[in-house]
PDB file of all heavy atoms in Angstrom:
ATOM      1  N   PRO W 224      54.326 -29.656  35.698  1.00 96.00           N
ATOM      2  CA  PRO W 224      53.023 -29.374  35.092  1.00 96.00           C
ATOM      3  C   PRO W 224      52.304 -28.259  35.836  1.00 96.00           C
ATOM      4  O   PRO W 224      52.308 -28.207  37.066  1.00 96.00           O
ATOM      5  CB  PRO W 224      52.284 -30.711  35.207  1.00 96.00           C
ATOM      6  CG  PRO W 224      52.978 -31.447  36.310  1.00 96.00           C
ATOM      7  CD  PRO W 224      54.408 -31.032  36.246  1.00 96.00           C
ATOM      8  N   ALA W 225      51.670 -27.370  35.072  1.00 96.00           N
ATOM      9  CA  ALA W 225      51.045 -26.190  35.661  1.00 96.00           C
ATOM     10  C   ALA W 225      49.741 -26.508  36.368  1.00 96.00           C
ATOM     11  O   ALA W 225      49.325 -25.772  37.265  1.00 96.00           O
ATOM     12  CB  ALA W 225      50.812 -25.131  34.577  1.00 96.00           C
ATOM     13  N   ASN W 226      49.071 -27.584  35.966  1.00 97.00           N
ATOM     14  CA  ASN W 226      47.776 -27.906  36.564  1.00 97.00           C
ATOM     15  C   ASN W 226      47.465 -29.388  36.401  1.00 97.00           C
ATOM     16  O   ASN W 226      48.254 -30.142  35.804  1.00 97.00           O
ATOM     17  CB  ASN W 226      46.665 -27.027  35.956  1.00 97.00           C
ATOM     18  CG  ASN W 226      46.603 -27.131  34.438  1.00 97.00           C
ATOM     19  OD1 ASN W 226      46.797 -28.213  33.867  1.00 97.00           O
ATOM     20  ND2 ASN W 226      46.342 -26.022  33.782  1.00 97.00           N
ATOM     21  N   LEU W 227      46.324 -29.783  36.909  1.00 97.00           N
ATOM     22  CA  LEU W 227      45.948 -31.197  36.883  1.00 97.00           C
ATOM     23  C   LEU W 227      45.763 -31.713  35.461  1.00 97.00           C
ATOM     24  O   LEU W 227      46.093 -32.864  35.169  1.00 97.00           O
ATOM     25  CB  LEU W 227      44.657 -31.403  37.676  1.00 97.00           C
ATOM     26  CG  LEU W 227      44.802 -31.417  39.202  1.00 97.00           C
ATOM     27  CD1 LEU W 227      43.431 -31.298  39.865  1.00 97.00           C
ATOM     28  CD2 LEU W 227      45.505 -32.695  39.659  1.00 97.00           C
ATOM     29  N   PHE W 228      45.237 -30.860  34.566  1.00 97.00           N
ATOM     30  CA  PHE W 228      45.049 -31.324  33.191  1.00 97.00           C
ATOM     31  C   PHE W 228      46.387 -31.681  32.560  1.00 97.00           C
ATOM     32  O   PHE W 228      46.540 -32.756  31.972  1.00 97.00           O
ATOM     33  CB  PHE W 228      44.333 -30.274  32.347  1.00 97.00           C
ATOM     34  CG  PHE W 228      44.264 -30.669  30.901  1.00 97.00           C
ATOM     35  CD1 PHE W 228      43.306 -31.562  30.464  1.00 97.00           C
ATOM     36  CD2 PHE W 228      45.200 -30.203  29.980  1.00 97.00           C
ATOM     37  CE1 PHE W 228      43.256 -31.963  29.139  1.00 97.00           C
ATOM     38  CE2 PHE W 228      45.160 -30.602  28.650  1.00 97.00           C
ATOM     39  CZ  PHE W 228      44.186 -31.487  28.231  1.00 97.00           C
ATOM     40  N   VAL W 229      47.361 -30.787  32.640  1.00 97.00           N
ATOM     41  CA  VAL W 229      48.668 -31.039  32.030  1.00 97.00           C
ATOM     42  C   VAL W 229      49.325 -32.256  32.686  1.00 97.00           C
ATOM     43  O   VAL W 229      49.891 -33.119  32.001  1.00 97.00           O
ATOM     44  CB  VAL W 229      49.579 -29.806  32.145  1.00 97.00           C
ATOM     45  CG1 VAL W 229      50.965 -30.097  31.587  1.00 97.00           C
ATOM     46  CG2 VAL W 229      48.956 -28.612  31.428  1.00 97.00           C
ATOM     47  N   ALA W 230      49.231 -32.339  33.999  1.00 97.00           N
ATOM     48  CA  ALA W 230      49.842 -33.467  34.711  1.00 97.00           C
ATOM     49  C   ALA W 230      49.258 -34.790  34.255  1.00 97.00           C
ATOM     50  O   ALA W 230      49.973 -35.786  34.102  1.00 97.00           O
ATOM     51  CB  ALA W 230      49.642 -33.286  36.215  1.00 97.00           C
ATOM     52  N   GLY W 231      47.942 -34.831  34.031  1.00 95.00           N
ATOM     53  CA  GLY W 231      47.300 -36.071  33.617  1.00 95.00           C
ATOM     54  C   GLY W 231      47.454 -36.375  32.149  1.00 95.00           C
ATOM     55  O   GLY W 231      47.415 -37.540  31.745  1.00 95.00           O
ATOM     56  N   PHE W 232      47.652 -35.327  31.323  1.00 95.00           N
ATOM     57  CA  PHE W 232      47.738 -35.540  29.883  1.00 95.00           C
ATOM     58  C   PHE W 232      49.154 -35.904  29.443  1.00 95.00           C
ATOM     59  O   PHE W 232      49.339 -36.674  28.501  1.00 95.00           O
ATOM     60  CB  PHE W 232      47.285 -34.278  29.146  1.00 95.00           C
ATOM     61  CG  PHE W 232      47.080 -34.479  27.675  1.00 95.00           C
ATOM     62  CD1 PHE W 232      45.937 -35.104  27.201  1.00 95.00           C
ATOM     63  CD2 PHE W 232      48.028 -34.070  26.754  1.00 95.00           C
ATOM     64  CE1 PHE W 232      45.739 -35.309  25.846  1.00 95.00           C
ATOM     65  CE2 PHE W 232      47.855 -34.268  25.399  1.00 95.00           C
ATOM     66  CZ  PHE W 232      46.700 -34.888  24.949  1.00 95.00           C
ATOM     67  N   ILE W 233      50.160 -35.343  30.113  1.00 95.00           N
ATOM     68  CA  ILE W 233      51.556 -35.590  29.752  1.00 95.00           C
ATOM     69  C   ILE W 233      52.094 -36.745  30.582  1.00 95.00           C
ATOM     70  O   ILE W 233      51.987 -36.755  31.803  1.00 95.00           O
ATOM     71  CB  ILE W 233      52.415 -34.331  29.993  1.00 95.00           C
ATOM     72  CG1 ILE W 233      51.936 -33.167  29.124  1.00 95.00           C
ATOM     73  CG2 ILE W 233      53.884 -34.628  29.736  1.00 95.00           C
ATOM     74  CD1 ILE W 233      52.173 -33.325  27.653  1.00 95.00           C
ATOM     75  N   GLY W 234      52.707 -37.700  29.905  1.00 92.00           N
ATOM     76  CA  GLY W 234      53.312 -38.826  30.608  1.00 92.00           C
ATOM     77  C   GLY W 234      52.585 -40.120  30.301  1.00 92.00           C
ATOM     78  O   GLY W 234      51.347 -40.158  30.242  1.00 92.00           O
ATOM     79  N   SER W 235      53.347 -41.176  30.075  1.00 91.00           N
ATOM     80  CA  SER W 235      52.779 -42.489  29.793  1.00 91.00           C
ATOM     81  C   SER W 235      53.609 -43.545  30.520  1.00 91.00           C
ATOM     82  O   SER W 235      54.833 -43.610  30.316  1.00 91.00           O
ATOM     83  CB  SER W 235      52.777 -42.767  28.289  1.00 91.00           C
ATOM     84  OG  SER W 235      52.225 -44.023  28.000  1.00 91.00           O
ATOM     85  N   PRO W 236      52.967 -44.340  31.391  1.00 93.00           N
ATOM     86  CA  PRO W 236      51.564 -44.318  31.805  1.00 93.00           C
ATOM     87  C   PRO W 236      51.208 -43.004  32.506  1.00 93.00           C
ATOM     88  O   PRO W 236      52.103 -42.270  32.943  1.00 93.00           O
ATOM     89  CB  PRO W 236      51.460 -45.500  32.774  1.00 93.00           C
ATOM     90  CG  PRO W 236      52.736 -46.227  32.690  1.00 93.00           C
ATOM     91  CD  PRO W 236      53.751 -45.350  32.122  1.00 93.00           C
ATOM     92  N   PRO W 237      49.907 -42.705  32.636  1.00 94.00           N
ATOM     93  CA  PRO W 237      49.513 -41.424  33.236  1.00 94.00           C
ATOM     94  C   PRO W 237      49.938 -41.306  34.694  1.00 94.00           C
ATOM     95  O   PRO W 237      50.159 -42.304  35.388  1.00 94.00           O
ATOM     96  CB  PRO W 237      47.987 -41.423  33.109  1.00 94.00           C
ATOM     97  CG  PRO W 237      47.657 -42.504  32.140  1.00 94.00           C
ATOM     98  CD  PRO W 237      48.757 -43.496  32.198  1.00 94.00           C
ATOM     99  N   MET W 238      50.005 -40.069  35.148  1.00 97.00           N
ATOM    100  CA  MET W 238      50.333 -39.795  36.540  1.00 97.00           C
ATOM    101  C   MET W 238      49.251 -40.358  37.459  1.00 97.00           C
ATOM    102  O   MET W 238      48.070 -40.363  37.129  1.00 97.00           O
ATOM    103  CB  MET W 238      50.464 -38.280  36.752  1.00 97.00           C
ATOM    104  CG  MET W 238      50.872 -37.859  38.145  1.00 97.00           C
ATOM    105  SD  MET W 238      51.010 -36.059  38.345  1.00 97.00           S
ATOM    106  CE  MET W 238      52.531 -35.711  37.455  1.00 97.00           C
TER     107      MET W 238
END
Side-chain angles (χ1 to χ4, degrees):
N226 55 38
L227 282 167
F228 174 80
V229 177
F232 191 78
I233 298 291
S235 180
M238 183 180 286

